[in-house]
Amino acid sequence: CRSFLKPSLTDLDEPTTIPGLDAAAACIANALRDQKRIVIYGDYDVDGITASSILWHALTTLGATDDHVTTYVPHRIDEGYGLNADALRQLAADGAQVVVTVDCAITACDEAALASELGLTLIITDHHEWRTDDAGQPVIPPADHVVHPRLPGSTANGDLVGAGVAFKLAWEVGKKVAGANRVSDDMKAFLMNALALTALGTVADVAPLVGENRTIVAFGLGNLTRTKLHGVRALIDAAGLGGQDLDSVDVGFKLGPRLNACGRMDHAREAVEMFTVATPGRARDIALELETKNKERQKVERAIVKAAKLEVEENGWHEPDCPAIVVAADGWHPGVVGIVASRLLDAYHRPTIVLGLDDGIAAGSGRSIDGFNLAETLQDCTDLLLSHGGHAAAAGLKLDAANIAAFRDRFTDAARQQLQPDDLVARLRIDTEVKATDVTEPLARDLSRLSPCGRGNPTPILLLRNLELLQARSVGKSDDHLQLRFNTGFGFGLKGIAFGRGHLAQQLSPGDHLDVAAEITINEWNGRTSAELMVRDLASTGPAG
C-alpha cells in the first residue's frame, strides 16, 4: 500500500494522542516563558541519549539558554538505571525547578514522591513497562505529569521508544509556544533534523519498524546524511560511513554500538554532549573517543561471552530440558552484560540473564525470545530483587548475590510454564524460493523498496536450492566469516558471505551441493556493483562427486 512503500510525514499521529503529553507540553511551555531552570534527565543507552538530545535542541530552539536547560545522565555503574534519589537532591540544591525524564522513570514511585518534597516539578516521559499492584492494575508514579504511549485509554502508537516520545513532546511544546496548531519555521526545520536522532533511538532500541515507526525511520535515515547536527555528522564520519546512504543495519550495528559504548565503558554524558553543546571540533574529538571505547567494549565482551558459554555448557543450561539461562560471575563488567545476554540468546535461543557480581550485589541485564515477557516475569520475582525495569524483550535487574540460586530456579520455572520445547528452536522464515539466475541487481533494488527493515518488518529471506559450491574460504581478521562462490551454470560465479560462519570453511569442498537461505545485497567495489548473497543459513544436499 502507499503508506508502506511511500511513507509520508502526514502519516505521523498528532502528539496529543499520547496520554499526558498535552498537559506536559503546556507545563514545559510555561516553564520556558517563566525562564525556569529545566533539567532533562535521560537514560544512558542510545534511546536515552537521543531522546535527551532531541528535547534539549527543541527547548534551545524555542529560546532557552544554557543557563535554563541542561541535561543529566546517571552513571550506569555508580548510579544505575532510572531516576536517582541522590541526583534529584543534588539537582534541587543546584537550583533546578523542572525535571523532565526521557526514556526512564515509569517505575520511580518513591523518587517521584521525593521530587515533590524537594519542590521540583517532575514530568515523566517513558515507554517501558510500569509496575502493577496485586490486582494487576498499573502503579503510576505520583509525578506532576506522566507521558507514556501505552497508558490506559491511549490511542497512540504503543511501539514508540523514548526518542519517539521525546520527538512528539518537542513537537507539541513547539505548538504551545507558537500559540497555534503549527510550529515556527525554525522549529519545523529542527524537527526535520531531529528525525535523524529519533531514527537512531528507534532502531537501536529494536522497536518494530511498522506503522508510525516505519515512517520515522524512513525519513530519519534519509536525514542522517543531510543533518545539520554536527554531532551526528561527527559520529557518522568517525564510523567511516561518511558520504554514503545509511540503512537500519548501519544504525543498529555501527552507529548504535559506538554510542552505547560510551555509557557501557565510561559515562554517557559525553555522547549527549556530542549531540548538544559540543562545538564541531569537540564533537569530532568525542566521536573518536567513542571509537576507542567501542574497541575496548568489544574486547571485554569477547572475554565474557567465552566465559559465559563455558558456564552454560558445563551446567547443561543449553540442553532441551532447561528453557532459560541465568549466569553470573565476579568481575563481569556491568556495562557489557546486556550485550553478552544478546550473544547467548543468539547462541542458545532461550531467555537469558547475565549478572556481574560486586561486593555481594549482582547487577545485570536480560534478553528474551518471543512468547516470554521479561518485564512481567521480573515483576513476579520482585521479592528476590532489589530493583528491576525494562520491557518484554530486554530488561535490567539488581539483586543480592545470595538470592541468585533462588532467582534462577523461579526464572527457569516461569520459562518452563510459558514456553514449549519448539519455542527454544530458532527459526528462519523463508519468504520465497528463487533460482541463482534470479539474483540480480534489479531484484535487489526492488526488494530494497521494502526497507527500512528490522523487527516487525524483517529483511526478505530467499531460498536457493541445490547450489553447486565452487569455493569456500574463511575471511576477516580472525577468519570469522565464510566467503562462498557458487556455480550458476551460466559462466559466472554467484558470491556470498556468511558472517560468523568461518569455521565451516574446513567442512566444505568444491562440488558440494547446498541449499542456501540468504538476503540479496548489492556489493560496490572499485566502482563496480554486483548482486550477492548475505547467507543466513545453509544445508548440505550432497557431497562433491
Side-chain angles (χ1 to χ4, degrees):
C1 66
R2 193 278 309 164
S3 62
F4 185 88
L5 293 176
K6 293 185 178 181
S8 168
L9 290 177
T10 59
D11 297 331
L12 296 180
D13 295 335
E14 282 293 317
T16 50
T17 60
I18 300 177
L21 189 143
D22 188 57
C27 181
I28 294 172
N30 290 336
L32 287 173
R33 180 199 62 204
D34 298 337
Q35 296 189 330
K36 291 184 177 181
R37 296 189 64 183
I38 302 170
V39 177
I40 301 165
Y41 190 113
D43 189 20
Y44 39 64
D45 67 358
V46 177
D47 192 20
I49 290 166
T50 52
S52 296
S53 304
I54 290 166
L55 200 53
W56 183 89
H57 276 290
L59 300 188
T60 55
T61 299
L62 293 170
T65 66
D66 290 348
D67 292 333
H68 291 110
V69 58
T70 57
T71 59
Y72 185 91
V73 184
H75 191 281
R76 180 189 289 265
I77 299 173
D78 295 342
E79 297 175 87
Y81 171 77
L83 199 55
N84 181 281
D86 289 339
L88 284 175
R89 293 187 184 97
Q90 188 60 56
L91 292 173
D94 291 341
Q97 296 168 286
V98 180
V99 174
V100 185
T101 77
V102 290
D103 193 37
C104 65
I106 193 60
T107 62
C109 294
D110 292 343
E111 291 80 4
L114 174 62
S116 180
E117 293 174 12
L118 294 170
L120 295 169
T121 296
L122 177 63
I123 299 171
I124 290 175
T125 79
D126 201 354
H127 73 112
H128 293 96
E129 296 294 329
W130 50 73
R131 294 189 181 149
T132 56
D133 60 21
D134 292 340
Q137 296 302 306
V139 177
I140 306 301
D144 294 273
H145 303 283
V146 177
V147 180
H148 194 293
R150 292 192 305 281
L151 284 174
S154 174
T155 60
N157 165 22
D159 290 324
L160 283 173
V161 300
V165 175
F167 177 85
K168 292 294 189 76
L169 180 59
W171 180 2
E172 188 62 28
V173 172
K175 291 199 290 184
K176 300 293 186 193
V177 170
N181 198 37
R182 57 180 299 173
V183 301
S184 67
D185 290 342
D186 286 347
M187 191 63 181
K188 180 179 180 181
F190 160 69
L191 289 172
M192 292 300 296
N193 272 304
L195 284 169
L197 291 171
T198 313
L200 270 173
T202 301
V203 173
D205 227 46
V206 200
L209 299 188
V210 296
E212 190 176 40
N213 282 357
R214 178 177 172 79
T215 300
I216 288 171
V217 173
F219 281 89
L221 290 176
N223 287 351
L224 273 171
T225 55
R226 300 189 297 270
T227 182
K228 295 182 180 179
L229 301 175
H230 47 254
V232 176
R233 292 202 304 271
L235 177 68
I236 292 171
D237 290 342
L241 297 173
Q244 63 187 71
D245 293 334
L246 303 180
D247 59 22
S248 55
V249 174
D250 294 318
V251 171
F253 291 94
K254 297 176 183 178
L255 300 183
R258 285 164 169 80
L259 285 174
N260 264 330
C262 196
R264 294 187 188 282
M265 308 307 296
D266 191 6
H267 202 306
R269 64 188 172 205
E270 285 190 344
V272 176
E273 178 190 352
M274 178 179 69
F275 282 156
T276 56
V277 299
T279 64
R282 173 61 178 154
R284 285 193 296 271
D285 290 343
I286 294 174
L288 293 175
E289 290 175 19
L290 296 186
E291 284 292 303
T292 300
K293 289 183 172 65
N294 193 45
K295 290 177 181 177
E296 179 187 355
R297 186 270 304 169
Q298 290 171 331
K299 181 178 179 181
V300 172
E301 174 197 331
R302 284 193 293 267
I304 299 176
V305 167
K306 182 178 180 180
K309 283 186 173 180
L310 183 62
E311 182 176 353
V312 168
E313 293 173 12
E314 284 183 345
N315 286 280
W317 294 332
H318 63 311
E319 299 293 345
D321 62 342
C322 186
I325 292 171
V326 178
V327 290
D330 286 312
W332 284 357
H333 196 298
V336 178
V337 290
I339 307 176
V340 174
S342 294
R343 299 290 180 260
L344 297 186
L345 185 77
D346 291 341
Y348 304 114
H349 198 69
R350 60 204 64 210
T352 299
I353 301 285
V354 181
L355 301 165
L357 307 181
D358 182 34
D359 196 24
I361 299 297
S365 295
R367 299 293 184 269
S368 191
I369 61 176
D370 289 342
F372 188 82
N373 188 309
L374 267 185
E376 291 181 358
T377 302
L378 293 182
Q379 174 71 19
D380 293 337
C381 299
T382 298
D383 59 305
L384 297 172
L385 305 177
L386 297 173
S387 62
H388 64 90
H391 43 76
L397 68 159
K398 186 180 291 186
L399 67 158
D400 286 325
N403 287 337
I404 291 176
F407 171 73
R408 179 184 288 116
D409 288 344
R410 192 181 302 178
F411 187 79
T412 303
D413 284 344
R416 192 169 284 117
Q417 293 171 19
Q418 297 177 43
L419 299 171
Q420 300 298 318
D422 284 352
D423 295 327
L424 306 181
V425 179
R427 287 174 170 78
L428 186 65
R429 186 208 72 258
I430 302 297
D431 290 285
T432 191
E433 183 176 336
V434 298
K435 299 177 181 178
T437 50
D438 294 327
V439 181
T440 62
E441 287 186 54
L443 176 61
R445 297 191 191 283
D446 281 344
L447 291 176
S448 71
R449 298 176 63 199
L450 302 176
S451 64
C453 294
R455 182 182 166 211
N457 181 42
T459 302
I461 304 296
L462 310 181
L463 175 63
L464 297 92
R465 291 192 183 276
N466 204 34
L467 291 180
E468 181 187 357
L469 182 67
L470 296 177
Q471 183 186 53
R473 65 189 185 102
S474 56
V475 295
K477 292 182 180 179
S478 302
D479 289 335
D480 292 335
H481 312 306
L482 179 66
Q483 188 179 77
L484 302 159
R485 190 160 60 90
F486 300 102
N487 182 13
T488 63
F490 285 87
F492 64 91
L494 176 61
K495 293 182 179 180
I497 184 77
F499 293 110
R501 304 288 185 93
H503 61 283
L504 295 179
Q506 301 304 315
Q507 303 173 31
L508 297 171
S509 302
D512 286 351
H513 286 75
L514 304 169
D515 284 348
V516 177
E519 304 171 22
I520 297 182
T521 64
I522 295 178
N523 183 51
E524 298 184 13
W525 179 253
N526 287 338
R528 300 180 64 183
T529 62
S530 61
E532 297 186 359
L533 301 177
M534 184 180 295
V535 177
R536 298 287 299 277
D537 202 2
L538 46 83
S540 175
T541 59

